[in-house]
Amino acid sequence: MTRIDDVARLAGVSTATVSRAMRGLPTVSAATRRRVLAAAEQLNYEVSPSASRLAGGRTGTVAVVVPRITRWFFSTVVEAVEEYLHESGYDLLLYNLGGREQVRQRVLRTANLHKRVDAVMLVATPLRPADLTALANLDLPGVTISSGTTVPTWPCVRIDDMAAARTATRHLLDLGHRRIAHISGDPDQHFVFTAHADRRRGYQAELRTAGLRLDPSLDIESSFTIDGGTRATAELLARGTPPTAIVAASDEMAMGAMAALRDAGLRVPQDVSVIGIDDHDLAGVLGLSTVAQPAAEQGRLAARILLDPLGARTLGPIVGQRGTGRDTPVILPTRLVVRDSTAPPRAP
Amino acid sequence: MTRIDDVARLAGVSTATVSRAMRGLPTVSAATRRRVLAAAEQLNYEVSPSASRLAGGRTGTVAVVVPRITRWFFSTVVEAVEEYLHESGYDLLLYNLGGREQVRQRVLRTANLHKRVDAVMLVATPLRPADLTALANLDLPGVTISSGTTVPTWPCVRIDDMAAARTATRHLLDLGHRRIAHISGDPDQHFVFTAHADRRRGYQAELRTAGLRLDPSLDIESSFTIDGGTRATAELLARGTPPTAIVAASDEMAMGAMAALRDAGLRVPQDVSVIGIDDHDLAGVLGLSTVAQPAAEQGRLAARILLDPLGARTLGPIVGQRGTGRDTPVILPTRLVVRDSTAPPRAP
DNA sequence: CTGAAAGCGCTTACAG
DNA sequence: CTGAAAGCGCTTACAG
C-alpha cells in the first residue's frame, strides 16, 4: 500500500508538503500542489484515515443516532444526511437505539463517542435528563432534529409540532366535524421528549378556538407506531360512540387507525375521517390526508449546520433556511395535503 | 483524556500488558488482568480507536452498503445488522447508494474501503461486472445479501427468489385464477442483479406447471418501488382486458398496484387479486397477501458469517442457519401469508 | 506471563 | 512557501 513518503519521493517534496497539498491547505504553491496531486494520482495514493486521525485529532466521522431506522421519518432523514455527509467528505457511523437501554447508555455516555467522531446528530431521540447534561458536557459539536430532543448548547432543526396538529385539526373542523378524536404517542415520564405533547396541545388549542369542549375520552395515548395507532383506535371504539374524525399524531399511527376502523366495519372517510402528520411514502397509496413535514430537508439542513463550523467543504446555501439554529431552532414549514381519507361527516 | 500509560502506571504494569488485558488476550494472568481492568475503570479509560487502528491494523468497523435505506427490506436488514455489529463491538459505516453513480464508484473502487473497514456487507446492490472483480480483488472479507449480488469469493445469504414467486403464483392458481399478470423490477443491462429475473422465472414456471400458456402482455417490467408498481399496473390496464390477479415481485410494487387499481375503479380482491413478496411492515394494514421473507434474520445471519472469521466475539448460533454460506449460499425459507387482497375470481 | 522498544502513517508546531 | 523532527496513542514481535 502506498504511503505518504512514496508520494513525497515521487513529487520531490517532504511529507509535510504532501500532507498540506492533499488537504488543500492554502500554504502550498500552485505548482507544488499540482506535482503532489499528480504523484498521488499516479500511485493511487489515499490518505490512511487511522494515521490521519491519530496525528490530526479529527476523525472525519459523524455519529447519527436514531430510535428506529425502520420508521419512515428516520430512514428518510438518514438518507438525506448520508448524502450530505459523504459529499462533504465525512463518514457516517449509524447508531440505531431500538429501545435497548444498554445501547443508549453506551452511545450517549461520554467516553464512547468523543474518540470516534467529530460531531453527533440526534434524531428525535428521547433522552433522560441525565443524558442531556452528559451530552452538553461531551465537548463535541452536535445537532438535534425534532423538538423532542433539546441539548442545551446544540442547535436544533424541527417543525412546529403544535402548528402541524392545529392544521390537521382545523382541516377536520372546516369539513364540519365536531366530534374529533386524537391519538398520539405515549409520554414516557423518564424521557424528555415533547413532540407528542406539542401535537396534543395543537389539537386541543384548535378545538378550543372553534369553541368546542375537550372530551378526554376522545384523546388517547399509545405508541408512535402502526400498531400504536391500531390499539389506540380499538380503545377509542371500545369506549362507545365513535368520533366522526381522528387526528393521528403520525402517519404510521393514522395507518394503524385505518386498519382498526376497517376491522371494525367502519369505512374511511364515509364513517370516520382520518388525518395524520408526516406525508409518509405510503400516504399516497393509502389515500391518507396528512400534514406533510419535510424530513429529508430537516436532515440536510441539520447536517449542514453541524458541518459548517467544522470547516467542512459544505455544499452551498439550503433553500428555506432561516437562521443557523444555533440560538433559536430552525423551524421548517409543514403543509396540508388533502387526499381521500377525510370528508364531511355524514348527515346524522 | 486518560491514555494507556496512565492506566499502566496505576496498575503497576507496562502498556503492553494493559493493551493485552484490555483486549482479553489469554496471555495475561487473572490477577494482572483484574488489576488492569480496575485501573481502567477507575480512570474511566477507553482505548483510542485511531491509535489502536494505526498500530493494530484493524478498524473494528464494517461498511454496510444498501441501495436505498428508505425501502422496507433495507432498513429492516440494517436494523438487524446494526444490533449484531454493535453487540459484537463493531462500528457500522453506512453507505446509501441512492442511485448516484459517483457514490458507487467511490464506495466500490478499491482504495476507499480497505483503509476504513475490516469487512464489507453488500445488501442487494446491483453491481457492474467490473465492480465484481474489483471487490473480489479488494482483499477484504465480505458478505452479500440477496441473490442479486454475488461476489465470487464472498459468502451469500438470501431467499430462493424463484420459489417465492412460485408460491405466490400457486396461491392464485389454487384460488382458481387463470389470467394472472406479473409485475417486476426493471433489469438494467449494465448491472448484475438477478432477483427480479428469478422471480419472473418462478411465475412463469408455475404457470407452465399448471398447463397455462404464458401471455407476454401480462408480464410487465417496471422499477422495484411503489411508483413502479403503480406504473406497471396502469400499463397493464391500458393494454385491454385486465387480469383477474397480479403477482407483484415486491410488496412495495403490490402496494403501488393496489393504488392504481383503486384509481381505475377496480376493487381488490373482488375485481382483481393482488399478492406481493416481502411481508412489509404495512402489508398487514393494507390487508396485502404476500410471501414473507425474513429480512432481519438475513441481516443477522450475514453479520455473523462476516464477523466469525474475524475472531469477533459473536453471539452464538442463529436458529435456522444451514451451512456457513461460504461455499454455497445460505437460503432462508419464505412462507405464504394470506390476507384480504386475494380471493377467487368472480364468476364470469 | 511480562516488559522495552520499535513502529504504524500521518499532522503540526517550529524554524527558515 | 517548505522541510526536519517530534509526537499522536496504541500494538506487536522479540526477548526473557
Side-chain angles (χ1 to χ4, degrees):
Chain A
M1 209 160 310
T2 47
R3 297 167 318 174
I4 196 170
D5 28 312
D6 298 321
V7 179
R9 208 170 309 115
L10 181 59
V13 297
S14 70
T15 59
T17 298
V18 174
S19 173
R20 295 186 188 107
M22 293 293 294
R23 283 176 297 148
L25 296 192
T27 60
V28 180
S29 77
T32 305
R33 182 189 315 283
R34 227 176 297 117
R35 218 146 19 95
V36 169
L37 262 28
E41 172 84 47
Q42 183 182 333
L43 297 175
N44 198 17
Y45 170 70
E46 194 143 331
V47 178
S48 154
S50 320
S52 171
R53 284 167 199 192
L54 179 58
R58 271 177 258 96
T59 66
T61 305
V62 172
V64 176
V65 181
V66 298
R68 297 215 55 175
I69 189 68
T70 47
R71 275 160 55 187
W72 171 81
F73 183 71
F74 304 115
S75 65
T76 306
V77 166
V78 166
E79 176 160 282
V81 169
E82 190 271 357
E83 178 165 4
Y84 195 93
L85 291 182
H86 279 150
E87 288 186 355
S88 301
Y90 280 77
D91 278 336
L92 188 166
L93 232 41
L94 179 68
Y95 292 91
N96 183 64
L97 264 23
R100 291 162 289 157
E101 183 56 30
Q102 296 175 13
V103 182
R104 288 188 54 259
Q105 301 281 350
R106 191 152 32 76
V107 172
L108 297 175
R109 299 305 175 183
T110 48
N112 193 282
L113 278 178
H114 66 348
K115 286 183 176 171
R116 358 177 68 85
V117 301
D118 296 334
V120 184
M121 178 183 296
L122 247 41
V123 188
T125 307
L127 254 32
R128 292 171 197 277
D131 299 327
L132 248 47
T133 48
L135 286 170
N137 293 332
L138 234 185
D139 191 30
L140 211 52
V143 65
T144 62
I145 294 184
S146 161
S147 67
T149 315
T150 316
V151 178
T153 57
W154 290 3
C156 173
V157 176
R158 59 179 182 90
I159 60 167
D160 183 335
D161 289 288
M162 187 169 166
R166 289 193 78 137
T167 301
T169 309
R170 187 166 351 109
H171 170 59
L172 297 173
L173 288 166
D174 288 347
L175 287 170
H177 292 277
R178 289 298 173 267
R179 211 174 139 64
I180 301 174
H182 175 249
I183 59 179
S184 185
D186 182 12
D188 184 324
Q189 301 303 340
H190 301 298
F191 292 127
V192 181
F193 188 74
T194 63
H196 31 48
D198 291 341
R199 292 180 189 180
R200 166 161 293 117
R201 282 170 48 224
Y203 154 78
Q204 294 173 340
E206 199 61 30
L207 288 188
R208 272 199 226 91
T209 302
L212 296 176
R213 242 201 320 262
L214 301 181
D215 179 348
S217 76
L218 292 181
D219 194 345
I220 308 227
E221 292 177 357
S222 183
S223 74
F224 244 113
T225 58
I226 298 167
D227 193 48
T230 304
R231 279 184 280 115
T233 304
E235 163 82 28
L236 203 52
L237 297 178
R239 288 186 181 178
T241 322
T244 66
I246 299 176
V247 175
S250 78
D251 277 2
E252 278 153 347
M253 292 196 83
M255 291 171 189
M258 290 171 88
L261 291 169
R262 188 191 56 200
D263 288 350
L266 294 167
R267 290 162 306 162
V268 174
Q270 293 90 335
D271 299 316
V272 181
S273 285
V274 175
I275 187 168
I277 294 177
D278 274 345
D279 205 17
H280 189 288
D281 279 348
L282 280 161
V285 163
L286 284 157
L288 177 65
S289 296
T290 191
V291 177
Q293 71 164 319
E297 198 184 338
Q298 288 177 76
R300 268 191 298 275
L301 196 43
R304 176 159 185 241
I305 289 173
L306 193 60
L307 259 37
D308 256 348
L310 300 185
R313 38 180 162 105
T314 49
L315 309 166
I318 291 185
V319 178
Q321 174 175 7
R322 323 172 215 160
T324 64
R326 202 146 294 277
D327 302 314
T328 53
V330 176
I331 311 258
L332 259 33
T334 54
R335 81 175 198 289
L336 179 66
V337 178
V338 179
R339 296 200 178 91
D340 308 323
S341 68
T342 48
R346 272 191 305 188
Chain B
M1 207 159 310
T2 45
R3 295 167 319 173
I4 196 170
D5 29 311
D6 299 321
V7 179
R9 209 170 308 115
L10 180 59
V13 297
S14 71
T15 58
T17 298
V18 174
S19 173
R20 295 186 187 108
M22 295 292 294
R23 283 176 296 149
L25 297 192
T27 60
V28 180
S29 76
T32 305
R33 181 188 316 282
R34 227 176 295 117
R35 215 143 25 90
V36 169
L37 261 27
E41 171 85 47
Q42 183 182 332
L43 297 175
N44 197 18
Y45 169 70
E46 193 142 334
V47 177
S48 155
S50 319
S52 170
R53 283 166 200 193
L54 181 58
R58 269 177 258 96
T59 66
T61 306
V62 171
V64 176
V65 181
V66 298
R68 295 216 57 176
I69 188 70
T70 46
R71 276 160 55 188
W72 171 81
F73 183 71
F74 305 115
S75 65
T76 306
V77 165
V78 166
E79 176 160 282
V81 170
E82 191 271 356
E83 179 165 4
Y84 195 93
L85 290 182
H86 278 150
E87 288 186 355
S88 303
Y90 279 77
D91 278 335
L92 188 165
L93 231 42
L94 179 69
Y95 292 91
N96 183 64
L97 264 21
R100 291 164 288 157
E101 184 56 30
Q102 295 173 15
V103 182
R104 288 188 54 260
Q105 301 281 348
R106 193 154 31 76
V107 172
L108 297 176
R109 298 307 174 182
T110 48
N112 194 281
L113 278 179
H114 65 350
K115 286 184 177 171
R116 354 177 73 85
V117 301
D118 296 334
V120 183
M121 177 183 297
L122 247 42
V123 188
T125 308
L127 254 32
R128 293 171 195 276
D131 299 327
L132 248 47
T133 48
L135 287 170
N137 293 332
L138 236 185
D139 192 28
L140 211 53
V143 66
T144 62
I145 293 183
S146 160
S147 68
T149 315
T150 316
V151 178
T153 57
W154 291 2
C156 173
V157 176
R158 59 179 181 90
I159 59 167
D160 183 334
D161 289 288
M162 188 168 164
R166 290 192 78 137
T167 301
T169 309
R170 188 170 345 113
H171 170 60
L172 297 174
L173 287 166
D174 288 347
L175 287 171
H177 291 278
R178 290 298 173 267
R179 212 175 137 63
I180 302 173
H182 175 250
I183 60 179
S184 184
D186 183 11
D188 184 324
Q189 301 303 338
H190 300 299
F191 292 126
V192 181
F193 188 74
T194 63
H196 31 49
D198 291 341
R199 293 180 189 180
R200 166 161 294 117
R201 281 170 48 226
Y203 154 79
Q204 294 173 340
E206 198 62 30
L207 288 189
R208 270 199 228 94
T209 301
L212 296 176
R213 242 201 321 260
L214 302 181
D215 179 348
S217 76
L218 292 182
D219 193 347
I220 308 226
E221 291 177 359
S222 183
S223 74
F224 245 113
T225 59
I226 298 168
D227 194 48
T230 304
R231 280 184 280 114
T233 304
E235 162 82 27
L236 203 51
L237 298 178
R239 289 186 179 176
T241 321
T244 66
I246 298 176
V247 175
S250 78
D251 277 1
E252 279 153 347
M253 292 197 84
M255 292 171 188
M258 289 171 89
L261 292 168
R262 187 190 58 199
D263 289 350
L266 294 167
R267 293 162 304 162
V268 173
Q270 294 88 336
D271 300 317
V272 181
S273 285
V274 176
I275 187 167
I277 293 177
D278 273 345
D279 205 16
H280 189 289
D281 279 347
L282 280 161
V285 162
L286 284 157
L288 177 65
S289 296
T290 191
V291 177
Q293 70 163 319
E297 199 185 337
Q298 288 176 77
R300 268 191 299 277
L301 196 43
R304 176 158 186 241
I305 288 173
L306 194 60
L307 259 39
D308 256 349
L310 301 184
R313 37 180 164 105
T314 50
L315 309 167
I318 290 183
V319 178
Q321 174 176 5
R322 324 173 215 159
T324 64
R326 202 149 291 277
D327 302 314
T328 53
V330 176
I331 311 257
L332 260 33
T334 54
R335 80 176 198 288
L336 179 66
V337 178
V338 178
R339 297 200 178 91
D340 308 323
S341 68
T342 46
R346 272 191 305 189

